């Protein structure tokens, strides 16, 4: 059985990834998000609010149960939030803990537990972190989101180096999926241009039908994940 643990599997890219994986035989998906929206005999939901770090810590054992029959195990850190779009200096301080907890601290704890709990397994083990182009460029109004994704990229590189030095064979990958037609884009389009100067460009992406279909992107991500 090939096991996939996917955060944010309830909608958007995470749901598309989960559903594409479930179309393949011999797969099991463990979805981690606040809401459950997938019904399938090989889908198992673990309700968790990734902004509640104490709850994450207390419930990680339910996410990473033993899988003695695994032929591969993959963790996909997909869930992320923009949080309140706006300029630093004009935001509540809680915004930073919220965005960094969901986008960085929870994924770090998930990776740590994945690596520890499955250390003795010999089957292929992979971590895929969903990043963003915003990790590489300055985007006004998205400072915490951008910074959390840049930090996730740095974490991924360091963990890959550690796994290489230990000779575990674990792969740690990151991917930026492009601009997708999901709820996250809806939030972006509904922002005032004083909070985000590029809002008109993102409204045009939508009206000109330039947003990528999350199902098509999920297919490409899976093809690349499963080819290596
Ligand atoms: N959309 C884009 O254009 C775009 C561009 C570049 C990168 N990305 C990246 O692609 C990934 C997927 O984005 P998306 O557009 O599919 O996002 P989305 O439509 O907003 O979906 C976000 C997912 O994350 C989960 N989530 C949010 N807050 C959570 C919390 N506190 N606890 C647990 N789960 C939580 C949501 O589930 P619940 O609400 O059920 O908890 C949902 O399943 C993200 O990493 C994003 O940064 C997206």
């Amino acid at each position: 059985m090939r096991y996939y643990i996917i955060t944010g599997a309830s909608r958007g890219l995470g749901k598309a990834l989960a559903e594409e994986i479930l179309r393949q035989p011999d797969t099991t998906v463990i979805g981690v998000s606040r809401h459950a929206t997938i019904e399938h005999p090989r889908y198992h939901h673990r309700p968790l609010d990734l902004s509640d770090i104490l709850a994450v810590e207390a419930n990680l054992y339910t996410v990473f149960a033993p899988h003695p029959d695994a032929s591969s195990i993959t963790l996909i850190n997909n869930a992320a939030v923009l949080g309140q779009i706006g300029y630093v200096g004009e935001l509540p301080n809680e915004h930073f803990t919220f965005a960094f907890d969901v986008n960085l601290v929870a994924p770090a704890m998930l990776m740590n537990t994945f690596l520890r709990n499955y250390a003795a397994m010999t089957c292929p083990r992979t971590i895929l972190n969903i990043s963003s182009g915003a990790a590489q460029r300055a985007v006004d109004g998205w400072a915490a989101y951008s910074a959390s994704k840049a930090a996730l990229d740095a974490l991924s590189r360091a963990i890959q180096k550690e796994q290489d030095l230990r000779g575990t064979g674990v792969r740690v990958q990151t991917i930026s999926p492009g601009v997708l037609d999901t709820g996250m884009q809806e939030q972006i389009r509904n922002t005032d241009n004083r909070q985000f100067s590029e809002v008109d460009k993102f409204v045009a992406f939508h009206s000109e039908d330039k947003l990528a279909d999350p199902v098509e992107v999920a297919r490409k991500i899976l093809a690349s994940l499963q080819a290596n």
Side-chain angles (χ1 to χ4, degrees):
M1 181 65 73
R2 292 175 290 149
Y3 289 89
Y4 290 84
I5 299 146
I6 307 177
T7 66
S10 63
R11 55 194 158 87
L13 179 62
K15 185 175 190 191
L17 282 165
E19 288 180 337
E20 285 306 306
I21 290 165
L22 289 166
R23 288 158 69 93
Q24 302 177 352
D26 305 320
T27 56
T28 291
V29 173
I30 296 128
V32 182
S33 51
R34 292 167 300 180
H35 308 94
T37 62
I38 298 177
E39 278 187 34
H40 189 284
R42 285 181 278 110
Y43 178 78
H44 306 284
H45 193 72
R46 301 286 179 264
L48 204 49
D49 181 347
L50 297 177
S51 72
D52 183 347
I53 291 300
L54 291 178
V56 172
E57 177 110 53
N59 290 287
L60 277 177
Y61 74 96
T62 68
V63 175
F64 300 106
H67 297 302
D69 63 332
S71 56
S72 68
I73 312 187
T74 304
L75 165 65
I76 305 181
N77 277 313
N78 162 79
V81 291
L82 285 157
Q84 187 177 332
I85 296 175
Y87 284 22
V88 178
E90 302 169 12
L91 291 164
N93 284 333
E94 295 75 29
H95 162 72
F96 298 97
T97 39
F98 175 64
F100 279 97
D101 282 351
V102 176
N103 300 354
L104 181 66
V105 179
M109 291 169 69
L110 285 155
M111 287 190 275
N112 190 46
T113 310
F114 174 90
L115 291 168
R116 189 177 54 218
N117 284 20
Y118 301 138
M121 301 207 68
T122 51
C123 67
R125 287 157 293 153
T126 305
I127 295 171
L128 175 65
N129 291 324
I130 305 296
S131 186
S132 165
Q136 307 296 330
R137 69 183 187 98
V139 186
D140 64 297
W142 302 5
Y145 175 78
S146 300
S148 66
K149 290 293 191 182
L152 186 65
D153 288 356
L155 199 58
S156 308
R157 289 192 297 272
I159 295 172
Q160 181 66 80
K161 181 171 182 177
E162 290 173 355
Q163 295 302 306
D164 290 348
L165 288 168
R166 288 270 193 268
T168 64
V170 172
R171 298 180 310 161
V172 186
Q173 304 180 342
T174 57
I175 191 166
S176 295
V179 187
L180 308 173
D181 194 3
T182 65
M184 189 174 273
Q185 285 296 322
E186 217 174 299
Q187 180 190 356
I188 292 166
R189 287 195 298 279
N190 288 324
T191 308
D192 186 287
N193 67 5
R194 271 190 52 78
Q195 314 302 329
F196 173 47
S197 66
E198 298 179 42
V199 66
D200 291 347
K201 184 174 86 182
F202 281 77
V203 168
F205 284 156
H206 182 246
S207 58
E208 292 165 12
D209 216 12
K210 286 186 178 154
L211 297 175
D213 176 358
V215 175
E216 279 172 26
V217 173
R219 283 186 190 139
K220 284 184 194 155
I221 291 174
L222 275 184
S224 138
L225 197 60
Q226 294 174 342
N228 301 308

